[in-house]
Amino acid sequence: MLQRCSFIALIVSFMMSICIHALEKETFILDIYVPMISRFSLNLAVPSIKNGLNVLGRFQVENNTRDGFSISISSKNNSHLSPISSEDGEENIPYFIHLQRIAGTLSTTTIENTTPLLTMGETSILSNTLQDAVTNLSYRIYLTLDDSSHLLKMAGSYSDEITIKYTDI
Amino acid sequence: MKSPLNTPIFNILITLFFAYALPVVALGPLNNELSLFYVNHKHPVLNAGQNILGDIIIKNDNPAGFKLTLQSNHHGMLTPVSSDNGELAIPYTLQFEAGSGRIGDGIALNMQETTLHTEHILLTGTSPSNSTDISLRIIAILENFNPSQRLAGHYRDVIEVHYTNY
């Protein structure tokens, strides 16, 4: 009996000594995870193009990456509504694009171009390559047609293709 | 029926135990010594400002003293796991608050705010004249970190707390 009690007491004290000295290191884990947001959407108005001001649609961009994004615009016919044929004397009709910011606040590192010249090829309209804040902006796209020659009143079919490209850097 | 505790096998086991286990037991702090170290973690969601990481509890009456240090794996920076989107590390500092209890005479406590660029010795002493029984709150301070304007990324650091009972 005495032998058994001594054995049990020694086992208990041995295990306690292990437990007391086992916790010699602890750790604090500091962890922050922010999921990436990179969204671009384009809503087209599909208007019947007339001389003067036309609303083409609007786009929205949301991005929270530090190395940012860029948005560019280009015209297939260099900012002209071009006739499909010129059999009846049709000519190019020039137009220009401008943007109106309708939501969001520009950060100090955002470069905005609301009057891009589409005669110069692909042109940047919005970019931020070193963000210090989340970007969440919306713009309306206007097309202004300069039909001083009244070509739209004459027979003909005119078209152009405008491309707006969003790149997450 | 013969008791198993009176068999030769049991006697051999007892002998082996005294031969190998007793020296290990005898080397431990059994002479009226108490050495207890653990952490109550708070697991906060990190935000700008103060973040309570947890409380360190120390109970020690070892006449040879003890030491408690903190060390950051990334020298006080929440380091991005990757830099695919240009992520930059986020600096932070640690502050300390003493809770209830006492620090033994001869044990030095350094509660100065630290950037953890190097190891921070929080408690140390080699010949205290009385026991220590203290709770210390660890607080991480994140400045220049606006939760509503967080940029994407996964940022991480590990703080190791080392307790040495002399």
Side-chain angles (χ1 to χ4, degrees), chain B residues 59-77:
Chain B
K59 295 185 180 184
N60 186 293
D61 65 357
N62 181 0
F66 65 94
K67 184 167 79 169
L68 182 74
T69 63
L70 288 89
Q71 193 167 28
S72 156
N73 284 4
H74 294 288
H75 307 288
M77 304 288 277

Side-chain angles (χ1 to χ4, degrees), chain A residues 3-4 7 10-11 13-14 20-21 23-36 64-67 131-134 168-169, chain B residues 5 11 14 17-18 25 29 35 37 39 41 53 78 84-86 88 145 149-163:
Chain A
Q3 200 177 37
R4 181 165 64 175
F7 175 68
L10 279 168
I11 290 291
S13 61
F14 178 69
I20 286 170
H21 294 289
L23 294 175
E24 293 184 344
K25 176 184 160 185
E26 281 269 8
T27 56
F28 291 109
I29 297 175
L30 282 67
D31 199 287
I32 297 174
Y33 175 67
V34 182
M36 186 180 90
N64 74 343
T65 63
R66 187 174 180 275
D67 57 6
Q131 295 200 110
D132 58 0
V134 177
D168 179 76
I169 297 171
Chain B
L5 296 177
N11 290 333
I14 284 290
F17 176 79
F18 275 88
V25 172
S35 173
F37 159 69
V39 173
H41 292 272
L53 300 182
L78 286 164
D84 290 346
N85 291 303
L88 290 180
F145 180 68
Q149 290 292 322
R150 286 182 186 178
L151 295 178
H154 187 186
Y155 309 87
R156 186 180 172 93
D157 192 16
V158 176
I159 300 172
E160 294 183 355
V161 184
H162 292 272
Y163 167 74

Side-chain angles (χ1 to χ4, degrees), chain A residues 89-107:
Chain A
E90 297 94 324
E91 293 178 351
N92 288 338
I93 305 173
Y95 68 86
F96 59 91
I97 296 287
H98 79 271
L99 309 174
Q100 178 192 25
R101 181 159 26 97
I102 55 177
T105 306
L106 277 186
S107 73

Side-chain angles (χ1 to χ4, degrees), chain B residues 14-58:
Chain B
I14 284 290
T15 305
L16 287 173
F17 176 79
F18 275 88
Y20 291 102
L22 188 58
V24 175
V25 172
L27 286 171
L30 292 179
N31 298 324
N32 293 322
E33 280 185 39
L34 177 62
S35 173
L36 190 63
F37 159 69
Y38 64 92
V39 173
N40 285 329
H41 292 272
K42 300 297 183 186
H43 300 292
V45 174
L46 296 179
N47 275 307
Q50 295 192 342
N51 300 269
I52 299 172
L53 300 182
D55 299 315
I56 297 175
I57 287 82
I58 299 282

Side-chain angles (χ1 to χ4, degrees), chain A residues 49-65:
Chain A
I49 302 294
K50 59 183 186 301
N51 188 31
L53 192 66
N54 299 269
V55 177
L56 289 187
R58 63 188 180 97
F59 70 85
Q60 181 184 6
V61 58
E62 196 175 353
N63 187 294
N64 74 343
T65 63

